[in-house]
Each structure stands twice: as C-alpha cells, then as structure tokens.
Amino acid sequence: MEPQQLNLFADNIIQPTRNSRADALVMDADALVQWKSRIFEYQQRVRESHD
C-alpha cells in the first residue's frame, strides 16, 4: 500500500469570503508543514494497526 494522504473533507467548492480577517494567516508555512506531517504520521500508524 502506497502512503497517501487521506481525504478529510468532501470535494466541496470553497468560496472565498469578503471578510478582511480571512486574509490573515493562522499559522506560518513551517507550522503548517509540521501539522500536516503529524497528521500523516498518525494516519500511517492507524493504517498499520489495521493491517
């Protein structure tokens, strides 16, 4: 089985908002990469435990 990112959300079309606060980033790029890495590692552990 190839490691793939699981789809967490439906394939909805996301509409941009007109709210100026929507442009503010919640986390920087490094924090985002670390967060995604933790999600990926968790998903891999879950997959391995179900094999």
Side-chain angles (χ1 to χ4, degrees), residues 19-45:
N19 187 342
S20 62
R21 289 179 34 181
D23 294 334
L25 298 176
V26 176
M27 62 177 74
D28 64 14
D30 290 334
L32 178 60
V33 169
Q34 291 174 3
W35 178 71
K36 289 177 72 173
S37 177
R38 289 194 307 267
I39 291 172
F40 176 77
E41 290 168 7
Y42 171 78
Q43 290 174 341
Q44 290 303 106
R45 286 194 307 271

Side-chain angles (χ1 to χ4, degrees), residues 1 8 43:
M1 178 183 300
L8 300 176
Q43 290 174 341

